[in-house]
Amino acid sequence: FGLHDLQNLPWNLHVVGHQLSIQAITCREIIVSSSELKENHCSECHKLLTHSVFLGILDRINEGVHENTPLAYQPIGGLTAVIHRKTKQLDALRFTHLNASQKLLSRARSLDDYKKFVMALGDSRGTRLDTLIR
């Protein structure tokens, strides 16, 4: 149903019970009978069966939706899978950032201690040097 927001499609959707069907907007309801068709369709509705968007929908139903397909083409199950995958990626990035922050903080403390040691060495009195070495 999300496709109708993005594209001007030549059909209307009808849901009756548990059956979804499409009907051409230009449907004249003149039935053309054909031995090849399981059901009777008007010529305008029959043209929908060769529409490129409709064929793409059938292909995604039969073959499945690729994970990089735009969200408007994803079914609900596909959307939840995308959300779970992206949540895991964000969590991994957060933990990586947290670990990097902790490493930097630890190294900054070591650098501070080193600076204090160098300053104490430079001090001619040497009184603070004894406390830093222990």
Side-chain angles (χ1 to χ4, degrees):
F1 296 104
L3 261 162
H4 284 83
D5 294 336
L6 297 177
Q7 296 182 8
N8 189 12
L9 298 175
W11 63 73
N12 290 319
L13 294 172
H14 300 284
V15 179
V16 178
H18 294 287
Q19 186 174 2
L20 176 68
S21 60
I22 62 172
Q23 180 182 20
I25 293 173
T26 57
C27 180
R28 295 175 296 194
E29 296 185 20
I30 300 171
I31 303 299
V32 176
S33 182
S34 172
S35 60
E36 299 168 3
L37 298 174
K38 294 180 182 176
E39 298 180 19
N40 295 327
H41 305 281
C42 78
S43 60
E44 295 297 318
C45 290
H46 185 68
K47 286 180 190 175
L48 294 177
L49 298 176
T50 58
H51 193 278
S52 61
V53 174
F54 182 73
L55 292 174
I57 291 170
L58 287 179
D59 184 51
R60 285 187 290 279
I61 289 171
N62 293 327
E63 303 295 324
V65 181
H66 190 272
E67 66 182 28
N68 293 335
T69 301
L71 297 179
Y73 298 94
Q74 291 280 356
I76 296 299
L79 290 174
T80 56
V82 168
I83 289 171
H84 288 299
R85 188 180 75 244
K86 292 200 182 256
T87 302
K88 286 180 182 178
Q89 288 173 344
L90 287 173
D91 287 344
L93 288 172
R94 278 190 204 107
F95 289 131
T96 302
H97 177 63
L98 180 64
N99 288 340
S101 297
Q102 288 176 346
K103 278 184 184 178
L104 286 174
L105 185 61
S106 171
R107 290 183 180 169
R109 280 190 205 121
S110 297
L111 189 58
D112 254 357
D113 292 343
Y114 178 74
K115 284 180 181 178
K116 287 178 186 175
F117 181 71
V118 168
M119 291 301 288
L121 279 177
D123 189 9
S124 60
R125 289 176 285 175
T127 56
R128 297 185 338 191
L129 187 61
D130 186 38
T131 58
L132 286 176
I133 292 176
R134 289 184 192 180

